[in-house]
Amino acid sequence: PELERLGSDLVVAKRVSLLDALTGFVLDLPCVATGGRIRAGPRRGLPTKPDDVWVVRGAGMRTKDGSRGDLFVRIIVDFPDTVPSDARPALAACLGGDPEAPTQPPPAAASSSSFVTDFFFPSAAKSETTKKHASAPTKPLLRASKAEVGALYDRGGRR
């Protein structure tokens, strides 16, 4: 399933490219309130980090008192498999850093399975595409606080 329910809140995982994570994006998200889809994205100029969790307030399930829970969106950033060695000066000019610094040896391979990956249901994020639009998104995507993410994990049950 694309969405997973945790009380009145919903969680979904979405993939974005590294370029989109750095420069902005708009996601096409399911919306239970309308039975359709909504577009949401972070403010311009606000980079997204791997495993950031963003929230769309009021886009979750209806509660007994008539209010709505939230939609939590875990962002999976797809990094390129390789970067041309001659790209370092251009990247350093944009991102900062020393364009002449020696490159480091590649890090040891890490396990791709983790609690976060398992918890946020990676099957929902396997073939997601990011859609860039010139117009502003219809819903703001806000960075979830560490407390909110911690509470979300606690409700989902740690292994």
Side-chain angles (χ1 to χ4, degrees):
E2 186 174 16
L3 291 171
E4 195 69 31
R5 183 175 180 171
L6 290 173
S8 61
D9 295 325
L10 299 171
V11 294
V12 64
K14 294 289 185 174
R15 292 186 172 278
V16 299
S17 71
L18 178 58
L19 177 65
D20 287 346
L22 293 172
T23 62
F25 56 89
V26 174
L27 296 173
D28 181 47
L29 300 168
C31 180
V32 297
T34 64
R37 315 270 311 166
I38 58 173
R39 291 180 15 203
R43 287 190 337 257
R44 289 187 189 268
L46 187 61
T48 300
K49 299 171 186 161
D51 295 324
D52 263 359
V53 177
W54 297 81
V55 60
V56 180
R57 302 277 181 220
M61 300 298 291
R62 189 171 302 283
T63 63
K64 290 179 183 177
D65 68 6
S67 63
R68 286 201 172 272
D70 298 323
L71 172 61
F72 288 88
V73 183
R74 176 177 171 250
I75 304 297
I76 301 166
V77 178
D78 288 328
F79 280 74
D81 292 329
T82 61
V83 177
S85 59
D86 61 349
R88 184 173 180 94
L91 290 171
C94 295
L95 304 175
D98 181 358
E100 303 300 323
T103 58
Q104 299 294 318
S111 169
S112 63
S113 179
S114 69
F115 169 74
V116 174
T117 303
D118 294 342
F119 179 74
F120 277 100
F121 321 107
S123 62
K126 283 185 181 169
S127 63
E128 297 302 328
T129 57
T130 302
K131 296 181 180 181
K132 290 192 99 158
H133 299 280
S135 62
T138 57
K139 291 279 189 177
L141 204 55
L142 308 170
R143 187 171 277 134
S145 71
K146 289 183 180 186
E148 287 176 307
V149 174
L152 196 63
Y153 289 160
D154 290 343
R155 286 190 314 205
R158 291 188 186 267
R159 291 184 190 169

